[in-house]
Amino acid sequence: MLLYRVFKNGTKEFFSDLGKYMSLLKKQNLDGLNNIKREEIQLIYTMPKDLLKISPVLLISMLPFTNYFIFPLAYYFPRQLLTYHFWTLEQRANFMLLDHTKRFKHSRPLFYCMETKVNCINDIYLKRKWNGIIACLGSGGHPTTESVISCGTLFENSPYSLEELGDKHMKELLGIHGLTIWRPFRRQRLIERGMLIKRMDDAIVKEGGITNMSEESLSWRIKSYEYVSAKYERLAPTMDHVVCLS
């Protein structure tokens, strides 16, 4: 009975999102992405992957008698075979935390990549300021939004523009964003991810900021549901600064 309910509700939710996705594609072709809401941007990004992931299970289940083994198999391996539409709230939280942990292991190597580039900064004033930001991050602190923005030119040109990054730096950037390092066009995929983040943050600002987002919506933005649930009030001001930087 539980198995039936999981797949009944999950299938209903999935096809509901699929219908919204098809409508959004038409809307996107007519109006572009400027007037699309945050949740719609999220759906446009996630649905192609979800469709690819769930299609084998749905297609196999359509064959005679296969539902007797494919549904139990998918039920016992939900993270590998099912999308979040079929997950319980506890599973969503646990899987998102696993995803966050997997990405977090790239944070320190990425920091080292940034640290080694400090000596490549020619502008003495910028170098001193950026060195202070790196030192602040290295000691576990949080530099101010204004100080980071004032060093923005470092990411437009040498040493941190995408064209200047080495293979190691690119690998860690891809990893921290959950993107595979084995596919080609690494820089293009990072540009696309940056555009996604920018569109999401612009939509968040239009909709009233971080404080108007639900915890689950905010969790998708930072990929750690349990962290949000525990520290939502303290996290909101920090995320406001992140949106500002974006």
Side-chain angles (χ1 to χ4, degrees), residues 31 51 66 77 79 87 91-92 157 167 171 194 230:
D31 303 329
L51 189 59
T66 55
F77 297 96
R79 186 165 181 257
W87 299 343
Q91 286 174 330
R92 292 185 185 189
N157 304 292
D167 289 339
K171 176 183 175 182

PDB file of all heavy atoms in Angstrom, residues 31 51 66 77 79 87 91-92 157 167 171 194 230:
ATOM      1  N   ASP A  31       8.607  35.294 -24.670  1.00  0.00           N
ATOM      2  CA  ASP A  31       9.006  36.445 -23.852  1.00  0.00           C
ATOM      3  C   ASP A  31      10.446  36.392 -23.352  1.00  0.00           C
ATOM      4  O   ASP A  31      10.904  37.335 -22.714  1.00  0.00           O
ATOM      5  CB  ASP A  31       8.071  36.570 -22.636  1.00  0.00           C
ATOM      6  CG  ASP A  31       6.615  36.699 -23.041  1.00  0.00           C
ATOM      7  OD1 ASP A  31       6.361  37.265 -24.115  1.00  0.00           O
ATOM      8  OD2 ASP A  31       5.738  36.225 -22.292  1.00  0.00           O
ATOM      9  N   LEU A  51      13.543  14.390 -16.099  1.00  0.00           N
ATOM     10  CA  LEU A  51      12.914  13.609 -17.168  1.00  0.00           C
ATOM     11  C   LEU A  51      13.843  12.495 -17.640  1.00  0.00           C
ATOM     12  O   LEU A  51      13.415  11.352 -17.862  1.00  0.00           O
ATOM     13  CB  LEU A  51      12.550  14.531 -18.328  1.00  0.00           C
ATOM     14  CG  LEU A  51      11.689  13.950 -19.452  1.00  0.00           C
ATOM     15  CD1 LEU A  51      10.363  13.446 -18.908  1.00  0.00           C
ATOM     16  CD2 LEU A  51      11.454  14.993 -20.535  1.00  0.00           C
ATOM     17  N   THR A  66       6.376  -5.996 -15.640  1.00  0.00           N
ATOM     18  CA  THR A  66       7.643  -5.429 -15.157  1.00  0.00           C
ATOM     19  C   THR A  66       7.463  -4.575 -13.907  1.00  0.00           C
ATOM     20  O   THR A  66       8.419  -4.363 -13.165  1.00  0.00           O
ATOM     21  CB  THR A  66       8.295  -4.566 -16.248  1.00  0.00           C
ATOM     22  OG1 THR A  66       7.358  -3.570 -16.690  1.00  0.00           O
ATOM     23  CG2 THR A  66       8.722  -5.419 -17.427  1.00  0.00           C
ATOM     24  N   PHE A  77      15.977   2.116  -4.084  1.00  0.00           N
ATOM     25  CA  PHE A  77      17.100   2.942  -4.541  1.00  0.00           C
ATOM     26  C   PHE A  77      16.562   4.274  -5.087  1.00  0.00           C
ATOM     27  O   PHE A  77      16.750   4.596  -6.266  1.00  0.00           O
ATOM     28  CB  PHE A  77      17.899   2.208  -5.623  1.00  0.00           C
ATOM     29  CG  PHE A  77      18.549   0.939  -5.148  1.00  0.00           C
ATOM     30  CD1 PHE A  77      17.927  -0.283  -5.350  1.00  0.00           C
ATOM     31  CD2 PHE A  77      19.766   0.971  -4.484  1.00  0.00           C
ATOM     32  CE1 PHE A  77      18.517  -1.455  -4.907  1.00  0.00           C
ATOM     33  CE2 PHE A  77      20.363  -0.196  -4.040  1.00  0.00           C
ATOM     34  CZ  PHE A  77      19.732  -1.419  -4.244  1.00  0.00           C
ATOM     35  N   ARG A  79      17.331   7.448  -4.592  1.00  0.00           N
ATOM     36  CA  ARG A  79      18.269   8.505  -4.993  1.00  0.00           C
ATOM     37  C   ARG A  79      18.830   8.252  -6.387  1.00  0.00           C
ATOM     38  O   ARG A  79      19.082   9.197  -7.145  1.00  0.00           O
ATOM     39  CB  ARG A  79      19.410   8.603  -3.974  1.00  0.00           C
ATOM     40  CG  ARG A  79      20.356   9.772  -4.218  1.00  0.00           C
ATOM     41  CD  ARG A  79      21.216  10.025  -2.999  1.00  0.00           C
ATOM     42  NE  ARG A  79      22.110  11.151  -3.222  1.00  0.00           N
ATOM     43  CZ  ARG A  79      23.405  11.037  -3.504  1.00  0.00           C
ATOM     44  NH1 ARG A  79      23.965   9.835  -3.577  1.00  0.00           N
ATOM     45  NH2 ARG A  79      24.150  12.103  -3.695  1.00  0.00           N
ATOM     46  N   TRP A  87      10.249  11.335  -3.491  1.00  0.00           N
ATOM     47  CA  TRP A  87      10.936  11.243  -2.208  1.00  0.00           C
ATOM     48  C   TRP A  87      10.070  11.776  -1.077  1.00  0.00           C
ATOM     49  O   TRP A  87       9.262  12.691  -1.262  1.00  0.00           O
ATOM     50  CB  TRP A  87      12.242  12.046  -2.240  1.00  0.00           C
ATOM     51  CG  TRP A  87      13.231  11.588  -3.259  1.00  0.00           C
ATOM     52  CD1 TRP A  87      13.256  10.393  -3.912  1.00  0.00           C
ATOM     53  CD2 TRP A  87      14.354  12.334  -3.753  1.00  0.00           C
ATOM     54  NE1 TRP A  87      14.320  10.341  -4.777  1.00  0.00           N
ATOM     55  CE2 TRP A  87      15.011  11.511  -4.708  1.00  0.00           C
ATOM     56  CE3 TRP A  87      14.862  13.593  -3.487  1.00  0.00           C
ATOM     57  CZ2 TRP A  87      16.152  11.931  -5.385  1.00  0.00           C
ATOM     58  CZ3 TRP A  87      15.994  14.017  -4.155  1.00  0.00           C
ATOM     59  CH2 TRP A  87      16.636  13.188  -5.095  1.00  0.00           C
ATOM     60  N   GLN A  91      13.769  12.090   3.018  1.00  0.00           N
ATOM     61  CA  GLN A  91      14.701  11.717   1.957  1.00  0.00           C
ATOM     62  C   GLN A  91      15.215  12.950   1.220  1.00  0.00           C
ATOM     63  O   GLN A  91      16.402  13.033   0.886  1.00  0.00           O
ATOM     64  CB  GLN A  91      14.014  10.763   0.977  1.00  0.00           C
ATOM     65  CG  GLN A  91      13.824   9.357   1.509  1.00  0.00           C
ATOM     66  CD  GLN A  91      13.018   8.485   0.564  1.00  0.00           C
ATOM     67  OE1 GLN A  91      12.152   8.962  -0.175  1.00  0.00           O
ATOM     68  NE2 GLN A  91      13.299   7.193   0.576  1.00  0.00           N
ATOM     69  N   ARG A  92      14.341  13.903   0.966  1.00  0.00           N
ATOM     70  CA  ARG A  92      14.775  15.129   0.288  1.00  0.00           C
ATOM     71  C   ARG A  92      15.856  15.838   1.097  1.00  0.00           C
ATOM     72  O   ARG A  92      16.856  16.311   0.553  1.00  0.00           O
ATOM     73  CB  ARG A  92      13.580  16.062   0.070  1.00  0.00           C
ATOM     74  CG  ARG A  92      12.559  15.540  -0.921  1.00  0.00           C
ATOM     75  CD  ARG A  92      11.454  16.553  -1.180  1.00  0.00           C
ATOM     76  NE  ARG A  92      10.408  16.001  -2.032  1.00  0.00           N
ATOM     77  CZ  ARG A  92       9.412  16.705  -2.556  1.00  0.00           C
ATOM     78  NH1 ARG A  92       9.323  18.005  -2.303  1.00  0.00           N
ATOM     79  NH2 ARG A  92       8.503  16.124  -3.319  1.00  0.00           N
ATOM     80  N   ASN A 157      39.175  40.165 -15.491  1.00  0.00           N
ATOM     81  CA  ASN A 157      40.433  39.988 -16.222  1.00  0.00           C
ATOM     82  C   ASN A 157      41.325  39.034 -15.434  1.00  0.00           C
ATOM     83  O   ASN A 157      40.835  38.218 -14.661  1.00  0.00           O
ATOM     84  CB  ASN A 157      41.117  41.354 -16.423  1.00  0.00           C
ATOM     85  CG  ASN A 157      40.214  42.349 -17.136  1.00  0.00           C
ATOM     86  OD1 ASN A 157      39.905  42.192 -18.306  1.00  0.00           O
ATOM     87  ND2 ASN A 157      39.771  43.382 -16.414  1.00  0.00           N
ATOM     88  N   ASP A 167      43.558  24.174 -15.264  1.00  0.00           N
ATOM     89  CA  ASP A 167      42.744  22.959 -15.229  1.00  0.00           C
ATOM     90  C   ASP A 167      42.303  22.602 -13.812  1.00  0.00           C
ATOM     91  O   ASP A 167      41.154  22.205 -13.588  1.00  0.00           O
ATOM     92  CB  ASP A 167      43.528  21.786 -15.831  1.00  0.00           C
ATOM     93  CG  ASP A 167      43.696  21.923 -17.339  1.00  0.00           C
ATOM     94  OD1 ASP A 167      42.907  22.673 -17.947  1.00  0.00           O
ATOM     95  OD2 ASP A 167      44.613  21.291 -17.894  1.00  0.00           O
ATOM     96  N   LYS A 171      38.492  22.430 -12.512  1.00  0.00           N
ATOM     97  CA  LYS A 171      37.980  21.172 -11.969  1.00  0.00           C
ATOM     98  C   LYS A 171      37.271  21.400 -10.638  1.00  0.00           C
ATOM     99  O   LYS A 171      36.177  20.869 -10.403  1.00  0.00           O
ATOM    100  CB  LYS A 171      39.135  20.186 -11.793  1.00  0.00           C
ATOM    101  CG  LYS A 171      38.735  18.873 -11.140  1.00  0.00           C
ATOM    102  CD  LYS A 171      39.950  17.983 -10.927  1.00  0.00           C
ATOM    103  CE  LYS A 171      39.570  16.719 -10.158  1.00  0.00           C
ATOM    104  NZ  LYS A 171      40.765  15.859  -9.902  1.00  0.00           N
ATOM    105  N   GLY A 194      26.781  30.203 -14.133  1.00  0.00           N
ATOM    106  CA  GLY A 194      26.804  31.568 -13.624  1.00  0.00           C
ATOM    107  C   GLY A 194      25.570  32.354 -14.038  1.00  0.00           C
ATOM    108  O   GLY A 194      25.002  33.111 -13.241  1.00  0.00           O
ATOM    109  N   ALA A 230      17.992  24.513  10.323  1.00  0.00           N
ATOM    110  CA  ALA A 230      18.560  24.764  11.639  1.00  0.00           C
ATOM    111  C   ALA A 230      18.943  26.222  11.836  1.00  0.00           C
ATOM    112  O   ALA A 230      18.887  26.739  12.943  1.00  0.00           O
ATOM    113  CB  ALA A 230      19.788  23.876  11.851  1.00  0.00           C
TER     114      ALA A 230
END
